[in-house]
Amino acid sequence: QVHLVESGGGLVQAGGSLRLACAASGRTFSSYCMGWFRQTPGKERELLAAITASGGRTYYADSVKGRITISRDNAKNMVYLQMNSLKPEDAAVYYCAAGGRYTEYVGPALVYDYWGQGTQVTVAS
């Protein structure tokens, strides 16, 4: 069992930056791949970035590649998403998730087992 809690969301102006954080409970955190997703009403949840348990591999969606960076600190049970050059279309609820235990693959095919409750990001023009 892994419990995930996101933080760092809020209101930001277009072109600004935001750093999201995900705090995980449980001693097994370091054995899971971690991903960041976003979702708006009426749309499918979109995978933005993922990182292997060791932090050795990362994945980024084409829609946000170059503007976001995923990182993790296993000693602190934390994963982060740095977002820059935010656009109004980036407004969404952002979720972190854990999956692919003991797997060193990250990408669209990875299955996630645990999800946080999300943090709201609003981008003002």
Side-chain angles (χ1 to χ4, degrees):
Q1 287 288 321
V2 178
H3 184 241
L4 306 172
V5 179
E6 301 94 338
S7 63
L11 177 64
V12 63
Q13 288 188 315
S17 298
L18 209 58
R19 187 184 186 229
L20 306 182
C22 177
S25 65
R27 62 181 181 85
T28 60
F29 169 76
S30 61
S31 67
Y32 285 92
C33 297
M34 297 294 298
W36 280 99
F37 295 75
R38 69 183 179 191
Q39 188 171 29
T40 56
K43 297 183 65 177
E44 295 289 317
R45 191 168 297 183
E46 178 187 14
L47 173 65
L48 302 176
I51 188 168
T52 56
S54 68
R57 286 190 62 202
T58 57
Y59 164 85
Y60 295 100
D62 289 339
S63 60
V64 294
K65 190 177 298 182
R67 298 194 294 121
I68 64 170
T69 303
I70 189 171
S71 61
R72 68 189 298 160
D73 185 341
N74 286 346
K76 297 181 178 179
N77 278 19
M78 297 288 293
V79 62
Y80 306 95
L81 187 71
Q82 177 68 44
M83 303 190 293
N84 302 319
S85 301
L86 286 164
K87 306 172 182 179
E89 51 262 44
D90 292 322
V93 177
Y94 284 70
Y95 300 88
C96 67
R101 191 177 183 184
Y102 302 120
T103 298
E104 286 296 309
Y105 163 83
V106 285
L110 188 69
V111 176
Y112 294 87
D113 303 307
Y114 304 99
W115 296 81
Q117 293 299 306
T119 184
Q120 177 72 53
V121 172
T122 304
V123 184
S125 61

